[in-house]
């Protein structure tokens, strides 16, 4: 005879009823949708109250008033701002982000053509930052209490105090001018044959086993990626080292030492798996800011990505293109944050019910 069923305890490790999981996911999706709508409204109305006539920038000096009126009607700028918003929102929901004022091409195709370059640059920067930050944290933990740890802390502070675009200028001067090792502009050398069918050059070159192209692409991407990675590496190093420092005093770590395990084993096999969770969450959140930071870095290195296009769109007052880029950035930001929340909840059962 079975005993009475125990009531559900949300603090139980690994217990997460399917309905609660579905409810949590739906709540996060709803808040993500509200965020996207809010971003769309703010961006649409803000860029239209900024002084400047995008139509006037398109026409030559000798254009007539009829020409201005014709283009104004073509892009729907002759209607009220609320009407323009409803028209744009209706088109966006059907996958039509409008036509770029400067290039006369569909905004969606323009944005998607530049997105792979920005994603590859951001992913490469994240990998570099994780490698450097993790190495600094593990080294500082292994050599804790000595001059090496103090030197690492000072290095992290210096890395954080310098913004990424200034690191870009330093890298250009050091490894592009004084010691010209890497390329300082562009995404790939124009003289190379490009057999790509997608705009993911870095990944496709590996898939096609064209390592000559891969090496050239990496040589173009390394300095902008490193400029983005240095401040993030300092943040990762500080947080992970602090987490490791707290974990090293716990009972199971002390027990591992009493069993005769070496310090490297204790750090890597015992302390690190439990200390890395807050850092993984930080990496996911910081990845969104990393993508936003590509705007200035791409301009600095003449990298053909979404950030570079965003600056051109702002300069040219290309309203449809600005809206498309901002909405895409917002989708990436909210999507990554949603994924981080769900992964963190999966890794930490106690937070699933928060």
């Amino acid at each position: 005879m079975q005993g009475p069923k125990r009531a559900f305890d949300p603090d139980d490790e690994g217990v997460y009823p399917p309905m609660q999981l579905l409810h949590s996911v739906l709540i996060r999706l709803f808040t993500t949708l509200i965020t996207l709508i809010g971003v769309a409204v703010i961006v649409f109305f803000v860029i239209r109250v900024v002084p400047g006539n995008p139509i006037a920038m398109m026409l030559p000096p000798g254009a007539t008033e009829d020409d201005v009126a014709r283009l104004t009607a073509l892009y729907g700028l002759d209607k009220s701002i609320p009407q323009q918003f409803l028209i744009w929102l209706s088109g966006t929901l059907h996958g039509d982000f409008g036509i770029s004022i400067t290039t006369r091409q569909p905004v969606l195709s323009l944005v998607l053509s530049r997105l792979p370059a920005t994603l590859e640059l951001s992913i490469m920067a994240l990998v570099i930052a994780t490698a450097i930050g993790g190495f600094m944290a593990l080294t500082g933990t292994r050599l804790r209490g000595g001059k090496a740890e103090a030197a690492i802390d000072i290095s992290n502070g210096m890395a954080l105090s310098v913004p990424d675009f200034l690191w870009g200028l330093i890298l250009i001067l050091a490894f592009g001018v004084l010691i010209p090792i890497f390329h300082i502009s562009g995404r790939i050398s124009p003289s190379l044959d490009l057999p790509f069918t997608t705009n993911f050059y870095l990944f496709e070159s590996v898939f096609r086993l064209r390592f000559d192209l891969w090496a050239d692409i990496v040589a173009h991407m390394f300095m902008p990626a490193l400029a983005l990675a240095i401040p993030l590496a300092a943040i990762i190093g500080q947080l992970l080292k602090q987490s490791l420092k707290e974990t090293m005093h716990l009972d199971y770590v002390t027990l591992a030492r009493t069993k005769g395990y070496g310090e490297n084993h204790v750090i890597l096999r015992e302390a690190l798996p439990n200390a890395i969770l807050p850092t993984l969450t930080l990496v996911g959140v910081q990845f969104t800011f990393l993508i936003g930071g590509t705007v200035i870095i791409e301009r600095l290195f003449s990298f053909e990505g979404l950030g570079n296009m965003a600056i051109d769109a702002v300069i040219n007052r290309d309203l449809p293109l600005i809206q498309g880029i901002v909405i895409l950035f917002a989708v990436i930001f909210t999507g990554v944050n949603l994924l981080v929340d769900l992964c963190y909840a999966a890794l930490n059962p106690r937070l699933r019910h928060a």
Side-chain angles (χ1 to χ4, degrees), residues 196-208:
F196 303 119
T197 57
T198 70
N199 288 324
F200 289 95
Y201 292 172
L202 186 66
F203 298 116
E204 190 173 343
S205 60
V206 175
F207 180 76
R208 290 177 175 269

Side-chain angles (χ1 to χ4, degrees), residues 38-59:
V39 170
V41 172
I42 293 173
V43 171
F44 189 91
F45 284 92
V46 166
I47 63 176
R48 275 164 174 75
V49 299
V50 175
N53 185 1
I55 300 300
M57 300 179 66
M58 298 173 55
L59 296 172

Side-chain angles (χ1 to χ4, degrees), residues 37 40-42 44-45 48 80-90:
I37 293 175
V41 172
I42 293 173
F44 189 91
F45 284 92
R48 275 164 174 75
S80 65
I81 293 181
Q83 288 177 318
Q84 293 180 41
F85 177 75
L86 292 177
I87 294 173
W88 174 78
L89 182 61
S90 175

Side-chain angles (χ1 to χ4, degrees), residues 214-244:
W214 181 87
D216 185 79
I217 295 169
V218 170
H220 282 82
M221 291 178 59
F222 180 75
M223 286 205 297
L226 182 59
L228 288 168
I230 291 176
L232 178 57
I235 297 175
I236 293 174
Q238 283 186 346
L239 180 61
L240 182 57
K241 187 169 78 70
Q242 183 61 32
S243 298
L244 285 169

Side-chain angles (χ1 to χ4, degrees), residues 38 82 147 183 187 235 271 313:
K147 295 181 179 180
H183 298 279
R187 189 182 177 194
I235 297 175

Side-chain angles (χ1 to χ4, degrees), residues 286-316:
Q286 288 293 323
F287 181 67
T288 60
F289 295 101
L290 195 68
I291 295 176
T294 59
V295 174
I296 299 178
I297 291 298
E298 287 182 2
R299 192 68 168 188
L300 190 62
F301 287 90
S302 299
F303 194 82
E304 298 177 356
L306 201 58
N308 207 346
M309 177 184 285
I311 294 180
D312 288 334
V314 172
I315 293 174
N316 297 321

Side-chain angles (χ1 to χ4, degrees), residues 13-214:
E13 295 291 336
V15 179
Y16 200 3
M19 291 305 297
Q20 282 197 311
L21 174 62
L22 179 61
H23 180 264
S24 178
V25 172
L26 291 178
I27 290 295
R28 285 176 169 86
L29 289 175
F30 179 73
T31 56
T32 298
L33 179 61
I34 295 299
T35 301
L36 291 176
I37 293 175
V39 170
V41 172
I42 293 173
V43 171
F44 189 91
F45 284 92
V46 166
I47 63 176
R48 275 164 174 75
V49 299
V50 175
N53 185 1
I55 300 300
M57 300 179 66
M58 298 173 55
L59 296 172
T64 64
E65 293 184 2
D66 292 338
D67 295 330
V68 175
R70 178 175 55 82
L71 283 179
T72 301
L74 177 64
Y75 288 97
L77 300 179
D78 57 336
K79 298 178 175 59
S80 65
I81 293 181
Q83 288 177 318
Q84 293 180 41
F85 177 75
L86 292 177
I87 294 173
W88 174 78
L89 182 61
S90 175
T92 301
L93 294 176
H94 291 85
D96 181 11
F97 285 77
I99 303 297
S100 169
I101 293 177
T102 54
T103 64
R104 314 293 203 280
Q105 297 181 34
V107 168
L108 186 60
S109 62
L110 286 173
V111 170
L112 294 181
S113 67
R114 292 289 190 97
L115 178 61
T118 298
L119 289 180
E120 286 187 341
L121 179 62
S122 301
I123 292 172
M124 185 175 182
L126 183 64
V127 171
I128 295 173
T130 303
I132 296 176
F135 175 78
M136 299 290 278
L138 293 173
T139 303
T141 303
R142 182 66 177 85
L143 304 177
R144 60 189 179 279
K147 295 181 179 180
E149 183 184 8
I152 290 175
D153 291 337
I154 293 174
S155 299
N156 284 337
M158 293 175 58
L160 280 173
S161 62
V162 179
D164 50 16
F165 70 89
L166 190 53
W167 281 118
L169 292 174
I170 294 173
L171 292 173
I172 289 175
L173 179 62
F175 301 109
V177 178
L178 299 179
I179 308 176
I181 300 176
F182 301 102
H183 298 279
I184 61 175
S185 65
R187 189 182 177 194
I188 193 170
S189 298
S191 59
L192 293 178
D193 179 31
L194 303 181
F196 303 119
T197 57
T198 70
N199 288 324
F200 289 95
Y201 292 172
L202 186 66
F203 298 116
E204 190 173 343
S205 60
V206 175
F207 180 76
R208 290 177 175 269
L209 302 180
R210 290 293 305 272
F211 296 108
D212 56 330
L213 294 178
W214 181 87

